[in-house]
Each structure stands twice: as C-alpha cells, then as structure tokens.
Amino acid sequence: MTGPVEHEIAAADGPLPGLLWLPEGASADRPVPGLVVLQEIFGLSDYVRRRCADLAGLGYAVLAPQLYARLPQPVVAVREDAEDLLEQGMALVQQVDWALAVRDGLAARDTLAALPEVDDARVGLVGFCFGGGLAFNVAAAASTAEVPPAVLVSFYGSALPGLLDLAEDVTCPSLHVFGTVDAYIPPETVERVRDAVTAGGTRPQVRFELHEGAGHAFDNPHPLFHHAQASATAWEQTEAFLAEVLPTGRASA
C-alpha cells in the first residue's frame, strides 16, 4: 500500500486538498475499486486516516477530502487529546456550508474515478458521523448525476434524519450502522431512518445493523465514545459487506 499522499481534488468551487491511499499492485492495467471516505466532525483525524489505511489494506483505492479546508480558518483536524474535543468539533461542523460539502464530496468521487488505477464503474462512499450523513447526500447527488455509487457505508450518519426525502434516490447496496444508545439519534428516529433507507424493508441490498449498548461515534477510539465490542463487530460487518458487494479480489488481512 502507498499513502497517504496529498492529492488535489478538482472541484467547481476551487481545488480541494485530499489524501490518497493506493493499494499495492493497483495500476492502469489492474485497476481497483475506489472508496471516498468522508470525515467525522473532528476533521480528517488520525482515527479516520487509520480507517482509510484499513480500507486500502483490503485492496481499495481511498480518497479522503479535507472538507474543513473550505472554512474561513482552514483546519485539518482537531487534536485528539484536546480537552474540549467535542466542543471544537461541534463548532467546526456548524461552520460547514452543507451544499458546498455535497459538491465537494461528489467532486472527490469524480476525481477518484478518473485515476487510471481505479475502476471508474466501481467507486463507493464511506462516511462517519457527519460524514455518514454527507455520504448519503452525496450518494443521492451522484445518482441524480447518473454516476450512482457502487456502495454506501454510513456509520451513525448524524444528518440522516433530515435527509430522508433523498432515500428514493439512494438505492445502491448500503450498510447503515447505529448504536442502540446514541444520545444524538434516539431509537425512534433510528427506526424512522431504517424504514426510509430500506423502503419499508423492500430493499434487500440495504442492510441495517444495530449495536447494543453502543453510543454515538462508537467506532472512534477516544474514551469519550469508544465501545470496543461494537467497534470490532461493526468493522467486521463492514469488511464482509464490502467483500460481498464490491470485491477487490483479495482476501481480508
């Protein structure tokens, strides 16, 4: 695996920095599936980068746009040891222009698909927290633009409850992951999300996984959020799901 390396994303609103991971052996002669990874509220943190590296290790080309580069005072990520980590993250995400972030996510998809090492027909989206909802919106936008994603993986998408009118456009194979004690998305809202994204259970390609006792951001290793069992199980589910619907031809590590 090579990366991460800086890779500029060509976007209508101006170039956007991103980080690119390429799996070993990817080439124009042997293109691989691609995944755009969209960050949580803390930015393109060490945690998100580790997940990008995990996905690249499975054989995917991974591009992570630095969405907070668009802010008036650009930020890559909040320091993970900051005492006010949550407060900083909330303050940053409140400055985001959502429509611009959707356009940037779609531009990242197009940039990744254009790489010679990437199979342009097999590019998907993965998002965490803020990025989980954003990935859903980008999936809808990509479908409308007639470049539907090959797959969507959304970890506890915080904006999803307000985006359910887009569910009709997001019909790709999808995995949605939530905890049962999410302080930001109560159980009745999670069930409303489930009903919308699965079209009342009529979309077998959409999977919905609940993790008992896990709160919001449970995959983040920070002690404020981490639920070890839920994190391990959800990542196993993610790997298995991706291997099934977007295979790379490689065995999981």
Side-chain angles (χ1 to χ4, degrees):
M1 178 183 69
T2 61
V5 295
E6 294 182 0
H7 191 85
E8 186 175 272
I9 295 162
D13 297 276
L16 181 72
L19 293 178
L20 175 68
W21 289 254
L22 288 177
E24 184 178 352
S27 68
D29 295 328
R30 295 181 58 196
V32 298
L35 294 170
V36 172
V37 174
L38 299 173
Q39 68 192 45
E40 57 181 0
I41 67 170
F42 307 114
L44 196 47
S45 61
D46 288 345
Y47 152 62
V48 174
R49 295 181 192 211
R50 286 193 295 271
R51 282 307 190 205
C52 290
D54 291 339
L55 293 167
L58 297 174
Y60 299 97
V62 179
L63 179 61
Q66 295 184 24
L67 298 173
Y68 286 167
R70 298 290 196 201
L71 299 184
Q73 294 183 322
V75 173
V76 175
V78 180
R79 287 178 56 96
E80 294 181 350
D81 59 355
E83 292 185 3
D84 59 346
L85 174 73
L86 187 56
E87 291 78 5
Q88 285 194 52
M90 293 297 290
L92 287 169
V93 78
Q94 288 169 12
Q95 300 177 55
V96 169
D97 179 326
W98 183 267
L100 173 56
V102 172
R103 293 196 299 273
D104 281 340
L106 191 56
R109 191 225 75 89
D110 293 345
T111 295
L112 183 59
L115 292 178
E117 299 90 349
V118 175
D119 181 345
D120 62 357
R122 298 202 298 151
V123 175
L125 302 160
V126 178
F128 300 89
C129 181
F130 159 68
L134 182 61
F136 185 80
N137 202 149
V138 173
S143 296
T144 301
E146 299 185 352
V147 285
V151 67
L152 166 68
V153 177
S154 175
F155 271 60
Y156 31 79
S158 52
L160 268 170
L163 298 171
L164 299 184
D165 59 329
L166 301 177
E168 182 178 318
D169 295 323
V170 186
T171 60
C172 63
S174 304
L175 172 64
H176 291 271
V177 174
F178 286 93
T180 61
V181 292
D182 191 317
Y184 299 95
I185 311 173
E188 60 272 18
T189 302
V190 171
E191 289 307 312
R192 186 161 57 87
V193 170
R194 184 207 295 264
D195 186 64
V197 301
T198 65
T202 64
R203 289 178 180 161
Q205 76 274 27
V206 179
R207 301 183 193 174
F208 209 89
E209 299 287 354
L210 293 178
H211 294 271
E212 193 67 34
H216 196 71
F218 65 74
D219 189 53
N220 188 315
H222 194 284
L224 277 174
F225 316 110
H226 194 56
H227 189 292
Q229 183 59 57
S231 174
T233 302
W235 198 252
E236 289 170 2
Q237 292 166 343
T238 298
E239 290 191 0
F241 177 71
L242 289 172
E244 177 183 341
V245 303
L246 195 66
T248 64
R250 303 183 184 194
S252 297

